[in-house]
Amino acid sequence: MLTALLIFFATLVLVVWRPRGLNVGWSAALGAAVALLTGVVNWQDVAAVWDIVWDATFTFVALIVISLVLDEAGFFNWAALHVARWGRGGTRLFVLVLLLDALVAALFANDGAALILTPVIVATLRALGVRSAAVFALVFATGFIADTTSLPLVTSNLTNIIVANYFGITYGRYAAVMVPVDVAALGISMLVLWLWFRRDLPERRAVSELAEPASAIVDSLVFRWSFPVLAALLVAYFVTARYGVPIAALTGAAALILLAIAARGWRGGPIRVGRVLRDAPWHIVIFSLGMYIVVYGLRNAGLIDYLELAYRWLAGQGVVLASVGTGFISGILSAITNNLPAVLIGALALHPLHPADPAMRETMVYAHLIGCNLGPKLTPFGSLATLLWLHVLARKGVVIGWGRYIRIGLVLTPVVLAVTLVVLALWMQVVV
């Protein structure tokens, strides 16, 4: 048990610290190798973990490839310029930016919103000439929204895919439960962010210095095709769910179509397809497998049994307390240990749970997922996406210190998490 714990925390330290720029994938792989060598896990466990994570991991990579292609085509610049022109400044700009952020998070996953859209927002705000406090307010808000609104679709977050696959939740059923809950999360997130940053919002600005949105389009062919491809992909998720078609196959097909359009066969287009493929997060494949092998070692050591006991107690306390309790346990666990290992730890503990009312376990599964998506906002190391987001912002000249991040996160996150979990409990009684 002690060995499993030491390997787990040592791996987390390597992932967060990344000494000498060590790739997060190789950090997790090193932890997995030690777990295998010490007998904490065996090769059968590796096969079991791969069966859990492969679809989610390759779906995530495909979504980021789609996001990178659209970014190269100018899609996100085009959208941001439209929002800046419509918003001009003040609360209106704040609301429109966050709505765009939530939409991108829903369709392209939270990492796409945080890592690709945020730099575009920074450049657009600077083109408007807003002061640094206003840039910080909107940038922090977009990073916050990217995670808190990554709930509506199975593909909106890597954690969603893992949980949906593990518990056999179809795309349609997931959306029926979580779309209304995500709307509530978006509403309360925007409210608390506005209350916190209302004095720092940019004043109204003339938009004459902004480029025309159409000028941002680099590859018009990819831009035009993006709309039907994304619409077809979304429909395919719902239609094929009953047939057990892997989400990775659908998302990968959409990514290949956009890559083929961008490549134009042998002629090539304005988009450098080779760079897109190099920038794709292939290291996440190794990270997911390695990190979850280490987590599986905690299961083998019996440590997850204690969490299972807590969930069993919560299941007998009524739907509201079960939802709130499960969500906060998962949220705190994610904030401390990172949400990717936390989502599997909670899933393994919830899986054996079979309360008299089957809807209770389903509610707790969704609550666990909400905790893993929202809870990481308590700390800057609660999710890999946040760590990468902070790094990208620092390169753009926007530095968010860990102390400042935690001060804001500790105030705003519990409010958003509590309201979202209560809404889930109430909504589940309607959709059961």
Side-chain angles (χ1 to χ4, degrees), residues 345-413:
I345 290 172
L348 291 170
L350 283 167
H351 196 265
L353 194 65
H354 293 286
D357 180 7
M360 178 61 78
R361 189 179 83 150
E362 186 181 11
T363 300
M364 294 175 71
V365 167
Y366 288 122
H368 164 59
L369 193 50
I370 291 170
C372 289
N373 287 5
L374 275 63
K377 306 313 294 180
L378 289 165
T379 63
F381 48 83
S383 72
L384 181 61
T386 300
L387 287 169
L388 296 174
W389 173 74
L390 291 171
H391 176 68
V392 169
L393 285 176
R395 291 174 59 185
K396 298 292 182 181
V398 180
V399 178
I400 303 177
W402 282 27
R404 189 177 187 185
Y405 185 102
I406 291 172
R407 283 197 303 274
I408 302 173
L410 286 176
V411 174
L412 303 188
T413 305

Side-chain angles (χ1 to χ4, degrees), residues 2 9 18 65 172 192 194 210 225 250 295 317 335 346 357-358 383 404 422-423:
L2 180 60
F9 284 111
R18 285 180 292 171
V65 168
V192 298
W194 180 82
L210 285 178
W225 272 96
L250 300 172
V295 169
Q317 306 306 310
D357 180 7
S383 72
R404 189 177 187 185
V422 170
V423 170

Side-chain angles (χ1 to χ4, degrees), residues 87-426:
R88 293 179 179 268
T91 299
R92 184 178 177 183
L93 177 63
F94 178 80
V95 170
L96 288 175
V97 166
L98 296 194
L99 287 176
L100 173 63
D101 193 38
L103 181 62
V104 172
L107 296 178
F108 303 103
N110 62 323
D111 296 77
L115 302 180
I116 295 175
L117 184 61
T118 300
V120 172
I121 295 296
V122 171
T124 305
L125 291 174
R126 285 176 173 166
L128 275 173
V130 302
R131 52 201 172 89
S132 58
V135 173
F136 175 85
L138 280 167
V139 164
F140 188 95
T142 54
F144 193 88
I145 288 287
D147 281 342
T148 60
T149 60
S150 63
L151 299 169
L153 304 175
V154 169
T155 47
S156 299
N157 199 318
L158 178 60
T159 57
N160 302 357
I161 309 169
I162 290 170
V163 169
N165 285 349
Y166 192 63
F167 290 96
I169 304 171
T170 65
Y171 207 92
R173 174 60 179 175
Y174 181 96
V177 173
M178 294 296 258
V179 166
V181 174
D182 186 72
V183 172
L186 173 60
I188 187 62
S189 296
M190 291 175 70
L191 176 60
V192 298
L193 286 165
W194 180 82
L195 289 172
W196 187 276
F197 289 116
R198 66 189 183 279
R199 294 185 180 89
D200 296 324
L201 296 183
E203 57 276 7
R204 291 182 64 82
R205 295 276 181 173
V207 296
S208 57
E209 295 182 8
L210 285 178
E212 288 291 334
S215 68
I217 300 172
V218 176
D219 191 323
S220 58
L221 186 63
V222 170
F223 180 82
R224 291 196 304 270
W225 272 96
S226 63
F227 295 97
V229 169
L230 292 175
L233 177 61
L234 191 59
V235 171
Y237 284 146
F238 287 96
V239 172
T240 63
R242 69 182 67 182
Y243 305 110
V245 178
I247 297 175
L250 300 172
T251 316
L256 288 174
I257 290 170
L258 289 175
L259 284 169
I261 296 170
R264 313 281 208 282
W266 294 108
R267 293 175 299 163
I271 297 176
R272 287 176 284 180
V273 173
R275 187 174 72 175
V276 169
L277 292 174
R278 285 195 302 273
D279 290 346
W282 302 109
H283 61 279
I284 293 297
V285 178
I286 301 172
F287 173 80
S288 292
L289 181 60
M291 195 71 241
Y292 288 139
I293 288 171
V294 172
V295 169
Y296 218 75
L298 299 180
R299 170 191 174 274
N300 291 348
L303 288 165
I304 293 177
D305 294 345
Y306 297 104
L307 186 57
E308 184 184 337
L309 290 174
Y311 286 154
R312 288 188 184 281
W313 181 84
L314 283 170
Q317 306 306 310
V319 67
V320 174
L321 185 57
S323 176
V324 173
T326 302
F328 268 88
I329 288 174
S330 299
I332 293 169
L333 188 64
S334 296
I336 296 172
T337 68
N338 191 275
N339 68 329
L340 288 177
V343 76
L344 186 58
I345 290 172
L348 291 170
L350 283 167
H351 196 265
L353 194 65
H354 293 286
D357 180 7
M360 178 61 78
R361 189 179 83 150
E362 186 181 11
T363 300
M364 294 175 71
V365 167
Y366 288 122
H368 164 59
L369 193 50
I370 291 170
C372 289
N373 287 5
L374 275 63
K377 306 313 294 180
L378 289 165
T379 63
F381 48 83
S383 72
L384 181 61
T386 300
L387 287 169
L388 296 174
W389 173 74
L390 291 171
H391 176 68
V392 169
L393 285 176
R395 291 174 59 185
K396 298 292 182 181
V398 180
V399 178
I400 303 177
W402 282 27
R404 189 177 187 185
Y405 185 102
I406 291 172
R407 283 197 303 274
I408 302 173
L410 286 176
V411 174
L412 303 188
T413 305
V415 178
V416 176
L417 184 55
V419 171
T420 306
L421 290 167
V422 170
V423 170
L424 169 70
L426 298 176

